[in-house]
Amino acid sequence: PALIFCIAIINFKFLGRRRSLFLCFAGGAVCCFGVEFWEDYFSLFIFFIKVFFKSAFTIMSLYTAELYRTNCRVTGLGWANGISRLGVIVMPWVVLYMLEIEPNFPFILFGIVSIFMLLALLKIPYETSETNLDEIRLTAQEESPEIGNIKNI
């Protein structure tokens, strides 16, 4: 269901990549906080948390690949993927510890992290859907001339 949802929202022209990612993180945050307030619908919230965060991960991979310069795209995505896998290894132990404190504490923490992601998304100045990657690079140089001065890796 998450990938079907992801494909559906990415293909809406008025949403694009950035707004789709914003929608996924906002939906995930609302569902994470919903677990705390409406415990009767726990299973439903868990389902939507999974859908929103899996969709966000998929869109983020696509959006990140489009934001990196061509000569450092593979390195950037490799590092991002490696760090995310490190988080996958560590997170079950952190969640077990948080469950001892409060059963719904992991959901609150994930909701707070989602809000931080929403704020970080607001700092990205451009949308990449239906845009040539070279045009994105030129737009970035016009907005921030120092980007053109970065040396090749």
Side-chain angles (χ1 to χ4, degrees):
L3 294 177
I4 294 170
F5 175 73
C6 179
I7 291 169
I9 62 173
I10 282 180
N11 288 328
F12 284 128
K13 292 187 191 249
F14 65 94
L15 280 178
R17 312 269 194 265
R18 187 170 166 231
R19 288 188 189 121
S20 297
L21 195 54
F22 192 90
L23 175 72
C24 289
F25 279 119
V30 167
C31 289
C32 282
F33 292 125
V35 167
E36 179 67 27
F37 299 111
W38 295 289
E39 292 181 4
D40 295 340
Y41 300 105
F42 183 80
S43 297
L44 186 65
F45 281 123
I46 295 297
F47 171 77
F48 282 112
I49 287 170
K50 177 70 175 169
V51 167
F52 283 126
F53 286 149
K54 175 66 176 170
S55 297
F57 183 77
T58 304
I59 295 168
M60 196 175 347
S61 298
L62 178 65
Y63 192 43
T64 303
E66 292 173 349
L67 288 176
Y68 277 119
R69 294 190 326 239
T70 304
N71 60 349
C72 66
R73 184 172 298 141
V74 174
T75 304
L77 285 176
W79 273 97
N81 201 4
I83 298 297
S84 71
R85 298 304 173 200
L86 182 65
V88 168
I89 293 169
V90 172
M91 209 58 207
W93 300 106
V94 174
V95 169
L96 281 174
Y97 176 72
M98 289 189 294
L99 286 172
E100 291 176 2
I101 298 170
E102 166 70 31
N104 290 336
F105 187 60
F107 299 108
I108 294 169
L109 181 66
F110 294 147
I112 291 170
V113 170
S114 295
I115 290 172
F116 282 124
M117 289 300 298
L118 292 172
L119 296 174
L121 254 162
L122 293 175
K123 299 297 253 174
I124 299 175
Y126 38 85
E127 173 64 47
T128 61
S129 65
E130 297 188 19
T131 307
N132 186 349
L133 293 180
D134 294 328
E135 291 175 19
I136 295 169
R137 174 86 175 130
L138 293 174
T139 304
Q141 284 179 349
E142 291 169 1
E143 293 175 4
S144 302
E146 66 272 3
I147 291 177
N149 297 331
I150 297 173
K151 296 193 182 204
N152 293 341
I153 294 176

